[in-house]
Amino acid sequence: MPPPTALHMEAAQALDLLTVPQVMARLQLGRSAVYDLLRSGQLASITLGRARRIPAQALTDFIRTRLEQEAA
């Protein structure tokens, strides 16, 4: 089996789905604040049945965007 490449690692990370409580813990925010970010489109998510999942890459992108906004 070939060693994992950066592309494979990125694809694996993109497939890593987080629950709302996991995002709450990582951002140290409450449930309402996380759902506000989801509703406003600042944080991307998908819905699987009735469950909301946030791709890990979407969380990374959100944090990067916020850091860039703060630095500007």
Side-chain angles (χ1 to χ4, degrees):
M1 180 187 285
T5 64
L7 182 60
H8 287 115
M9 300 294 264
E10 189 174 314
Q13 185 180 17
L15 295 175
D16 188 19
L17 299 175
L18 305 171
T19 63
V20 170
Q22 288 173 319
V23 172
M24 290 167 52
R26 290 184 187 196
L27 294 178
Q28 297 184 345
L29 292 175
R31 183 176 215 83
S32 296
V34 171
Y35 276 105
D36 286 344
L37 293 172
L38 295 170
R39 253 189 304 283
S40 69
Q42 294 178 66
L43 183 58
S45 69
I46 61 171
T47 305
L48 301 170
R50 295 180 63 204
R52 185 73 76 112
R53 296 291 181 263
I54 299 92
Q57 188 62 49
L59 182 58
T60 301
D61 293 344
F62 167 76
I63 294 168
R64 184 177 297 118
T65 299
R66 292 300 295 253
L67 285 170
E68 289 168 358
Q69 289 172 351
E70 297 282 328

